[in-house]
Coordinates of all heavy atoms in Angstrom, one line a residue:
M1 N 4.1 4.3 0.8 CA 3.3 4.4 2.0 C 2.0 3.7 1.7 O 1.4 3.9 0.7 CB 3.2 5.8 2.5 CG 4.4 6.5 2.8 SD 4.2 8.2 3.5 CE 3.2 9.0 2.2
I2 N 1.5 3.0 2.7 CA 0.2 2.4 2.5 C -0.6 2.7 3.8 O -0.1 2.8 4.9 CB 0.2 0.9 2.2 CG1 0.8 0.1 3.4 CG2 0.9 0.6 0.9 CD1 0.6 -1.4 3.2
D3 N -1.9 2.7 3.7 CA -2.8 2.8 4.8 C -4.1 2.2 4.5 O -4.7 2.5 3.4 CB -2.9 4.3 5.3 CG -3.5 4.4 6.7 OD1 -3.6 3.3 7.4 OD2 -3.7 5.5 7.2
E4 N -4.7 1.5 5.4 CA -6.0 0.9 5.2 C -7.1 1.8 5.7 O -6.9 2.5 6.7 CB -6.1 -0.5 6.0 CG -7.4 -1.2 5.9 CD -8.3 -0.8 7.1 OE1 -7.8 -0.6 8.2 OE2 -9.5 -0.9 6.9
I5 N -8.2 1.9 4.9 CA -9.3 2.8 5.3 C -10.6 2.0 5.1 O -10.7 1.1 4.3 CB -9.3 4.1 4.5 CG1 -9.4 3.7 3.0 CG2 -8.2 5.0 4.8 CD1 -9.6 4.9 2.1
T6 N -11.6 2.4 5.9 CA -12.9 1.8 5.8 C -13.9 3.0 5.5 O -13.9 3.9 6.3 CB -13.4 1.0 7.1 OG1 -12.4 0.0 7.3 CG2 -14.7 0.4 6.9
S7 N -14.6 2.9 4.4 CA -15.5 4.0 4.0 C -16.8 3.9 4.8 O -17.1 3.0 5.5 CB -15.8 3.9 2.5 OG -16.6 2.7 2.2
I8 N -17.6 4.9 4.6 CA -18.9 5.0 5.3 C -19.8 3.9 4.9 O -20.7 3.5 5.7 CB -19.5 6.4 5.0 CG1 -20.7 6.6 6.0 CG2 -20.0 6.5 3.6 CD1 -21.2 8.1 6.0
S9 N -19.6 3.3 3.7 CA -20.4 2.1 3.3 C -19.8 0.8 3.7 O -20.2 -0.2 3.3 CB -20.6 2.2 1.8 OG -19.3 2.0 1.2
D10 N -18.8 0.9 4.6 CA -18.2 -0.3 5.2 C -17.3 -1.1 4.2 O -17.0 -2.2 4.4 CB -19.2 -1.2 5.9 CG -18.5 -2.0 7.0 OD1 -17.6 -1.6 7.6 OD2 -19.0 -3.2 7.2
E11 N -16.9 -0.4 3.1 CA -16.0 -1.0 2.2 C -14.5 -0.7 2.7 O -14.3 0.3 3.1 CB -16.2 -0.5 0.8 CG -17.5 -0.8 0.2 CD -17.8 -0.1 -1.1 OE1 -17.0 0.9 -1.4 OE2 -18.7 -0.5 -1.8
R12 N -13.7 -1.7 2.5 CA -12.3 -1.6 3.0 C -11.4 -1.4 1.8 O -11.5 -2.1 0.8 CB -11.9 -2.8 3.8 CG -12.7 -3.0 5.0 CD -12.3 -4.3 5.7 NE -13.1 -4.5 6.9 CZ -13.9 -5.4 7.1 NH1 -14.1 -6.3 6.1 NH2 -14.6 -5.5 8.2
H13 N -10.5 -0.4 1.9 CA -9.6 -0.1 0.8 C -8.2 0.1 1.4 O -8.0 0.4 2.6 CB -10.0 1.2 0.1 CG -11.3 1.1 -0.6 ND1 -12.5 1.3 0.0 CD2 -11.5 0.7 -1.9 CE1 -13.5 1.1 -0.9 NE2 -12.9 0.7 -2.1
L14 N -7.2 0.0 0.5 CA -5.8 0.2 0.8 C -5.3 1.3 -0.1 O -5.3 1.1 -1.3 CB -5.0 -1.1 0.7 CG -3.6 -1.0 1.1 CD1 -3.5 -0.9 2.7 CD2 -2.8 -2.3 0.7
A15 N -4.9 2.4 0.4 CA -4.4 3.5 -0.4 C -2.8 3.4 -0.5 O -2.2 3.1 0.5 CB -4.7 4.9 0.3
I16 N -2.3 3.5 -1.7 CA -0.9 3.4 -1.9 C -0.4 4.7 -2.5 O -0.9 5.2 -3.5 CB -0.6 2.3 -2.9 CG1 -1.1 0.9 -2.4 CG2 0.9 2.2 -3.2 CD1 -0.9 -0.2 -3.3
V17 N 0.6 5.3 -1.8 CA 1.2 6.6 -2.2 C 2.7 6.5 -2.3 O 3.4 5.8 -1.5 CB 0.8 7.6 -1.1 CG1 1.4 9.0 -1.4 CG2 -0.7 7.7 -0.9
S18 N 3.3 7.2 -3.3 CA 4.7 7.2 -3.4 C 5.2 8.6 -2.9 O 4.7 9.6 -3.3 CB 5.1 7.0 -4.9 OG 6.5 7.3 -5.1
K19 N 6.3 8.6 -2.1 CA 6.9 9.8 -1.7 C 8.4 9.7 -2.1 O 9.1 8.8 -1.7 CB 6.8 9.9 -0.2 CG 7.3 11.2 0.4 CD 7.0 11.2 1.9 CE 7.4 12.5 2.5 NZ 7.2 12.5 4.0
H20 N 8.8 10.6 -3.0 CA 10.1 10.5 -3.5 C 10.6 11.8 -4.0 O 9.9 12.8 -3.9 CB 10.2 9.5 -4.7 CG 9.2 9.9 -5.9 ND1 7.9 9.6 -5.9 CD2 9.5 10.6 -7.0 CE1 7.4 10.1 -7.0 NE2 8.3 10.7 -7.7
M21 N 11.9 11.9 -4.4 CA 12.5 13.1 -4.8 C 12.6 13.1 -6.3 O 13.0 12.1 -6.9 CB 13.9 13.3 -4.2 CG 13.9 13.4 -2.7 SD 13.2 14.9 -2.1 CE 14.5 16.1 -2.5
S22 N 12.3 14.2 -7.0 CA 12.5 14.4 -8.4 C 13.2 15.7 -8.7 O 12.6 16.8 -8.3 CB 11.1 14.3 -9.1 OG 11.3 14.5 -10.5
H23 N 14.4 15.7 -9.2 CA 15.2 16.9 -9.4 C 15.2 17.8 -8.1 O 15.0 19.0 -8.2 CB 14.6 17.7 -10.6 CG 14.4 16.9 -11.8 ND1 15.5 16.5 -12.6 CD2 13.4 16.4 -12.4 CE1 15.1 15.8 -13.6 NE2 13.8 15.7 -13.6
N24 N 15.5 17.1 -7.0 CA 15.7 17.7 -5.7 C 14.4 18.4 -5.2 O 14.4 19.3 -4.4 CB 16.8 18.8 -5.7 CG 18.2 18.1 -5.8 OD1 18.4 17.0 -5.3 ND2 19.1 18.7 -6.6
V25 N 13.3 17.9 -5.7 CA 12.0 18.4 -5.2 C 11.2 17.2 -4.7 O 11.0 16.2 -5.3 CB 11.2 19.1 -6.4 CG1 9.8 19.5 -5.9 CG2 11.9 20.2 -7.0
P26 N 10.7 17.3 -3.4 CA 9.9 16.2 -2.9 C 8.6 16.1 -3.6 O 7.9 17.1 -3.9 CB 9.7 16.6 -1.4 CG 10.0 18.1 -1.3 CD 10.9 18.4 -2.5
V27 N 8.2 14.9 -3.9 CA 7.0 14.6 -4.7 C 6.1 13.6 -3.9 O 6.7 12.5 -3.5 CB 7.3 14.0 -6.1 CG1 6.0 13.7 -6.8 CG2 8.1 15.0 -6.9
L28 N 4.9 13.8 -3.7 CA 3.9 12.9 -3.1 C 2.9 12.6 -4.2 O 2.2 13.4 -4.7 CB 3.3 13.6 -1.9 CG 2.4 12.7 -1.0 CD1 3.2 11.6 -0.3 CD2 1.7 13.5 0.0
R29 N 2.9 11.3 -4.5 CA 2.0 10.9 -5.7 C 1.1 9.7 -5.3 O 1.6 8.7 -4.8 CB 2.9 10.5 -6.9 CG 2.1 10.1 -8.1 CD 2.9 9.9 -9.3 NE 3.4 11.2 -9.7 CZ 4.6 11.4 -10.3 NH1 5.3 10.4 -10.7 NH2 4.9 12.6 -10.7
F30 N -0.2 9.9 -5.5 CA -1.2 8.8 -5.3 C -0.9 7.8 -6.4 O -0.9 8.1 -7.6 CB -2.6 9.4 -5.4 CG -3.6 8.3 -5.4 CD1 -4.0 7.7 -4.2 CD2 -4.3 7.9 -6.6 CE1 -5.0 6.7 -4.2 CE2 -5.3 6.9 -6.5 CZ -5.6 6.3 -5.3
I31 N -0.7 6.5 -6.0 CA -0.5 5.4 -7.0 C -1.7 4.6 -7.3 O -2.0 4.2 -8.4 CB 0.7 4.6 -6.6 CG1 2.0 5.4 -6.5 CG2 0.9 3.4 -7.5 CD1 3.2 4.6 -6.0
G32 N -2.4 4.3 -6.2 CA -3.6 3.4 -6.4 C -4.4 3.2 -5.2 O -4.0 3.5 -4.1
L33 N -5.6 2.6 -5.4 CA -6.5 2.3 -4.3 C -6.9 0.8 -4.5 O -7.4 0.5 -5.6 CB -7.7 3.2 -4.4 CG -8.6 3.2 -3.2 CD1 -7.9 3.7 -1.9 CD2 -9.8 4.0 -3.5
I34 N -6.6 0.0 -3.6 CA -7.0 -1.5 -3.7 C -8.2 -1.7 -2.8 O -8.2 -1.4 -1.6 CB -5.8 -2.3 -3.2 CG1 -4.5 -2.1 -4.0 CG2 -6.1 -3.8 -3.2 CD1 -3.3 -2.7 -3.5
E35 N -9.2 -2.4 -3.4 CA -10.3 -2.9 -2.6 C -9.9 -4.1 -1.8 O -9.5 -5.1 -2.5 CB -11.5 -3.1 -3.4 CG -12.8 -3.3 -2.7 CD -14.0 -3.3 -3.5 OE1 -14.0 -2.9 -4.7 OE2 -15.0 -3.8 -3.0
L36 N -10.1 -4.2 -0.5 CA -9.8 -5.3 0.3 C -11.0 -6.1 0.7 O -12.0 -5.6 1.0 CB -9.1 -4.9 1.6 CG -7.8 -4.1 1.5 CD1 -7.3 -3.6 2.8 CD2 -6.7 -5.0 0.9
E37 N -10.9 -7.4 0.5 CA -12.0 -8.3 1.0 C -12.0 -8.4 2.5 O -13.1 -8.4 3.1 CB -11.8 -9.7 0.4 CG -12.0 -9.8 -1.1 CD -11.7 -11.1 -1.7 OE1 -11.7 -12.1 -0.9 OE2 -11.5 -11.2 -2.9
D38 N -10.8 -8.4 3.1 CA -10.7 -8.4 4.5 C -9.4 -7.7 4.9 O -8.5 -7.5 4.0 CB -10.8 -9.8 5.2 CG -9.8 -10.7 4.7 OD1 -8.6 -10.5 4.9 OD2 -10.1 -11.8 4.1
C39 N -9.2 -7.4 6.1 CA -8.0 -6.7 6.5 C -7.0 -7.5 7.3 O -6.3 -7.1 8.2 CB -8.4 -5.5 7.4 SG -9.3 -4.2 6.5
T40 N -6.9 -8.8 6.9 CA -5.9 -9.7 7.5 C -4.5 -9.4 6.9 O -4.4 -8.8 5.8 CB -6.2 -11.1 7.3 OG1 -6.2 -11.4 5.9 CG2 -7.6 -11.5 7.9
T41 N -3.5 -9.7 7.6 CA -2.1 -9.5 7.1 C -1.9 -10.2 5.8 O -1.4 -9.6 4.9 CB -1.1 -9.9 8.2 OG1 -1.3 -9.2 9.4 CG2 0.3 -9.7 7.7
N42 N -2.3 -11.4 5.7 CA -2.1 -12.2 4.5 C -2.8 -11.6 3.3 O -2.3 -11.5 2.2 CB -2.6 -13.6 4.7 CG -1.6 -14.4 5.5 OD1 -0.4 -14.0 5.7 ND2 -2.1 -15.5 6.1
N43 N -4.1 -11.1 3.5 CA -4.8 -10.5 2.4 C -4.2 -9.2 1.9 O -4.1 -8.9 0.7 CB -6.3 -10.3 2.7 CG -7.1 -9.8 1.6 OD1 -7.1 -10.4 0.5 ND2 -7.8 -8.7 1.8
I44 N -3.7 -8.4 2.9 CA -3.1 -7.1 2.5 C -1.8 -7.4 1.7 O -1.6 -6.7 0.7 CB -2.8 -6.3 3.8 CG1 -4.1 -5.8 4.4 CG2 -1.9 -5.1 3.5 CD1 -4.0 -5.2 5.8
L45 N -1.0 -8.4 2.2 CA 0.2 -8.7 1.4 C -0.1 -9.2 0.0 O 0.5 -8.8 -0.9 CB 1.0 -9.8 2.2 CG 2.2 -10.4 1.5 CD1 3.2 -9.3 1.3 CD2 2.8 -11.5 2.3
E46 N -1.1 -10.2 -0.1 CA -1.5 -10.7 -1.4 C -2.0 -9.6 -2.3 O -1.6 -9.6 -3.5 CB -2.6 -11.7 -1.2 CG -2.1 -13.0 -0.6 CD -3.3 -14.0 -0.3 OE1 -4.4 -13.8 -0.9 OE2 -3.1 -14.9 0.5
Q47 N -2.8 -8.7 -1.8 CA -3.3 -7.6 -2.7 C -2.2 -6.7 -3.1 O -2.2 -6.2 -4.2 CB -4.4 -6.9 -2.0 CG -5.6 -7.7 -1.7 CD -6.3 -8.2 -3.0 OE1 -6.3 -7.5 -4.0 NE2 -6.6 -9.5 -3.0
N48 N -1.2 -6.4 -2.2 CA -0.1 -5.5 -2.5 C 0.8 -6.2 -3.6 O 1.1 -5.5 -4.6 CB 0.8 -5.3 -1.3 CG 0.5 -4.0 -0.6 OD1 0.5 -3.0 -1.3 ND2 0.2 -4.1 0.7
L49 N 1.1 -7.5 -3.5 CA 1.9 -8.2 -4.5 C 1.2 -8.2 -5.8 O 1.8 -8.0 -6.9 CB 2.2 -9.6 -4.0 CG 3.2 -9.6 -2.8 CD1 3.3 -11.1 -2.3 CD2 4.5 -9.0 -3.1
K50 N -0.2 -8.4 -5.8 CA -0.9 -8.4 -7.0 C -0.9 -7.1 -7.7 O -0.7 -6.9 -8.9 CB -2.4 -8.8 -6.7 CG -3.3 -8.9 -7.9 CD -4.7 -9.4 -7.5 CE -5.6 -9.4 -8.8 NZ -7.0 -9.8 -8.3
F51 N -1.0 -6.0 -6.9 CA -1.0 -4.6 -7.4 C 0.4 -4.3 -8.1 O 0.5 -3.8 -9.2 CB -1.3 -3.6 -6.3 CG -1.2 -2.2 -6.7 CD1 -2.3 -1.6 -7.3 CD2 0.0 -1.5 -6.6 CE1 -2.3 -0.3 -7.7 CE2 0.0 -0.1 -7.0 CZ -1.1 0.5 -7.5
I52 N 1.4 -4.8 -7.4 CA 2.8 -4.6 -7.9 C 3.0 -5.3 -9.2 O 3.5 -4.8 -10.2 CB 3.8 -5.0 -6.9 CG1 3.8 -4.1 -5.7 CG2 5.2 -5.2 -7.5 CD1 4.5 -4.6 -4.4
Q53 N 2.5 -6.5 -9.3 CA 2.6 -7.3 -10.5 C 1.8 -6.8 -11.7 O 2.3 -6.6 -12.8 CB 2.2 -8.8 -10.2 CG 2.6 -9.8 -11.3 CD 2.2 -11.2 -10.8 OE1 1.2 -11.4 -10.2 NE2 3.1 -12.1 -11.1
V54 N 0.6 -6.4 -11.4 CA -0.3 -5.9 -12.5 C 0.2 -4.6 -13.0 O 0.1 -4.3 -14.2 CB -1.8 -5.7 -11.9 CG1 -2.6 -4.9 -12.8 CG2 -2.4 -7.1 -11.7
N55 N 0.8 -3.7 -12.2 CA 1.3 -2.4 -12.6 C 2.8 -2.5 -13.0 O 3.3 -1.4 -13.2 CB 1.0 -1.4 -11.5 CG -0.4 -1.1 -11.3 OD1 -1.0 -0.4 -12.1 ND2 -1.1 -1.7 -10.3
E56 N 3.3 -3.7 -13.0 CA 4.7 -3.9 -13.4 C 5.7 -3.0 -12.7 O 6.6 -2.4 -13.3 CB 4.9 -3.7 -14.9 CG 4.0 -4.7 -15.7 CD 4.1 -4.6 -17.2 OE1 4.7 -3.6 -17.7 OE2 3.5 -5.4 -17.9
L57 N 5.5 -2.9 -11.4 CA 6.4 -2.0 -10.6 C 7.7 -2.9 -10.2 O 7.6 -4.1 -10.0 CB 5.7 -1.6 -9.3 CG 4.5 -0.8 -9.5 CD1 3.8 -0.5 -8.1 CD2 4.8 0.5 -10.2
N58 N 8.8 -2.2 -10.1 CA 10.1 -2.9 -9.9 C 10.4 -2.7 -8.4 O 10.7 -1.7 -7.9 CB 11.2 -2.3 -10.8 CG 12.5 -2.9 -10.6 OD1 12.7 -3.8 -9.8 ND2 13.4 -2.6 -11.4
L59 N 10.4 -3.9 -7.7 CA 10.7 -3.8 -6.2 C 12.1 -3.5 -6.0 O 12.5 -3.1 -4.8 CB 10.3 -5.1 -5.6 CG 8.8 -5.4 -5.4 CD1 8.5 -6.7 -4.7 CD2 8.2 -4.3 -4.5
D60 N 13.0 -3.6 -7.0 CA 14.4 -3.3 -6.8 C 14.5 -1.8 -6.5 O 15.5 -1.3 -6.0 CB 15.2 -3.7 -8.0 CG 15.4 -5.2 -8.1 OD1 15.3 -5.9 -7.1 OD2 15.5 -5.6 -9.2
N61 N 13.5 -1.0 -6.9 CA 13.6 0.5 -6.7 C 13.0 0.9 -5.4 O 13.0 2.1 -5.0 CB 12.8 1.2 -7.8 CG 13.6 1.0 -9.2 OD1 14.8 0.9 -9.2 ND2 12.8 1.1 -10.2
L62 N 12.4 -0.1 -4.6 CA 11.8 0.2 -3.4 C 12.9 0.4 -2.3 O 13.7 -0.5 -2.1 CB 10.8 -0.9 -3.0 CG 10.1 -0.7 -1.6 CD1 9.2 0.4 -1.7 CD2 9.4 -2.0 -1.3
I63 N 12.9 1.6 -1.7 CA 13.9 1.8 -0.7 C 13.4 1.7 0.7 O 14.0 1.3 1.7 CB 14.5 3.2 -0.9 CG1 15.2 3.3 -2.3 CG2 15.5 3.6 0.2 CD1 15.7 4.7 -2.7
H64 N 12.1 2.1 0.9 CA 11.5 2.1 2.2 C 10.0 1.8 2.1 O 9.4 2.2 1.1 CB 11.6 3.6 2.8 CG 11.0 3.7 4.1 ND1 11.6 3.3 5.3 CD2 9.8 4.3 4.5 CE1 10.7 3.6 6.3 NE2 9.7 4.2 5.8
F65 N 9.5 1.1 3.1 CA 8.1 0.8 3.2 C 7.5 1.6 4.4 O 8.1 1.5 5.4 CB 7.8 -0.7 3.3 CG 6.4 -1.0 3.6 CD1 5.5 -1.2 2.6 CD2 6.0 -1.2 4.9 CE1 4.2 -1.5 2.9 CE2 4.7 -1.6 5.2 CZ 3.8 -1.7 4.2
G66 N 6.5 2.4 4.2 CA 5.9 3.1 5.3 C 4.5 2.8 5.5 O 3.7 2.6 4.6
S67 N 4.1 2.7 6.8 CA 2.7 2.5 7.2 C 2.6 3.2 8.6 O 3.5 3.8 9.1 CB 2.4 1.0 7.3 OG 2.9 0.5 8.5
D68 N 1.4 3.1 9.1 CA 1.2 3.7 10.5 C 1.6 2.8 11.6 O 1.5 3.1 12.8 CB -0.3 4.1 10.6 CG -1.2 2.9 10.5 OD1 -0.7 1.7 10.4 OD2 -2.4 3.1 10.6
G69 N 2.3 1.7 11.2 CA 2.8 0.7 12.2 C 1.8 -0.3 12.7 O 2.2 -1.0 13.6
A70 N 0.6 -0.3 12.2 CA -0.4 -1.3 12.6 C 0.1 -2.7 12.4 O 0.8 -2.9 11.4 CB -1.7 -1.0 11.9
S71 N -0.2 -3.6 13.3 CA 0.4 -4.9 13.2 C 0.0 -5.6 11.9 O 0.8 -6.4 11.4 CB -0.1 -5.8 14.4 OG -1.5 -5.9 14.5
K72 N -1.2 -5.3 11.4 CA -1.6 -5.9 10.2 C -0.8 -5.4 8.9 O -0.7 -6.1 7.9 CB -3.1 -5.7 9.9 CG -4.0 -6.5 10.9 CD -5.4 -6.3 10.6 CE -6.2 -7.1 11.6 NZ -7.6 -7.0 11.4
M73 N -0.3 -4.2 9.1 CA 0.5 -3.7 8.0 C 1.9 -4.2 7.9 O 2.5 -4.3 6.9 CB 0.6 -2.1 8.1 CG -0.8 -1.5 7.9 SD -1.4 -1.7 6.2 CE -3.0 -1.0 6.4
V74 N 2.4 -4.5 9.1 CA 3.8 -5.0 9.2 C 3.9 -6.5 9.5 O 5.0 -7.0 9.5 CB 4.6 -4.2 10.2 CG1 4.8 -2.7 9.8 CG2 4.0 -4.3 11.6
G75 N 2.8 -7.1 9.6 CA 2.8 -8.6 9.8 C 3.3 -9.1 11.1 O 3.9 -10.1 11.2
K76 N 3.2 -8.2 12.2 CA 3.8 -8.6 13.5 C 2.8 -8.2 14.6 O 2.2 -7.1 14.5 CB 5.1 -7.8 13.6 CG 6.0 -8.3 14.7 CD 7.2 -7.5 14.6 CE 8.4 -8.3 15.0 NZ 9.7 -7.6 14.9
L77 N 2.7 -9.0 15.6 CA 1.9 -8.7 16.7 C 2.7 -8.1 17.8 O 3.8 -8.6 18.1 CB 1.2 -10.0 17.3 CG 0.2 -10.6 16.3 CD1 -0.3 -11.9 16.9 CD2 -1.0 -9.7 16.0
F78 N 2.3 -7.0 18.4 CA 3.1 -6.3 19.4 C 2.5 -6.6 20.8 O 1.4 -6.8 21.0 CB 3.1 -4.8 19.2 CG 3.8 -4.5 17.9 CD1 3.1 -4.2 16.8 CD2 5.2 -4.5 17.8 CE1 3.8 -3.9 15.6 CE2 5.9 -4.2 16.7 CZ 5.1 -3.9 15.5

């Protein structure tokens, strides 16, 4: 799950959280916080891909992507 936030100092960040099951127990784990230069769809995508690459995460294990449905998170205008 990801969500974009803007702090009181006007800095933009992207919070990344994993929600999964471990031994039949639901686990919610903070994975990282990405500082965003801007909140465009392309920048959010680029920063996500960079985070995945730097942290050597395996996208084959990704089952679901969650966000609040904002158009910038899903890359679609409604």
Side-chain angles (χ1 to χ4, degrees):
M1 297 184 303
I2 65 171
D3 198 6
E4 177 266 329
I5 57 172
T6 303
S7 69
I8 194 167
S9 63
D10 206 30
E11 295 173 346
R12 297 177 180 114
H13 294 88
L14 188 68
I16 302 177
V17 178
S18 170
K19 187 175 181 182
H20 59 277
M21 299 291 286
S22 178
H23 305 288
N24 292 323
V25 177
V27 177
L28 188 65
R29 181 172 290 154
F30 173 79
I31 297 178
L33 192 65
I34 300 172
E35 188 171 343
L36 297 173
E37 294 177 16
D38 60 62
C39 292
T40 62
T41 301
N42 287 339
N43 186 53
I44 291 171
L45 175 61
E46 288 173 16
Q47 294 301 318
N48 264 306
L49 293 174
K50 183 178 177 182
F51 180 86
I52 289 165
Q53 192 173 42
V54 166
N55 291 285
E56 299 178 354
L57 300 176
N58 183 353
L59 285 179
D60 291 333
N61 294 332
L62 180 65
I63 297 171
H64 177 79
F65 171 82
S67 77
D68 60 2
S71 60
K72 291 183 180 181
M73 295 296 174
V74 295
K76 196 176 215 180
L77 296 175
F78 295 101

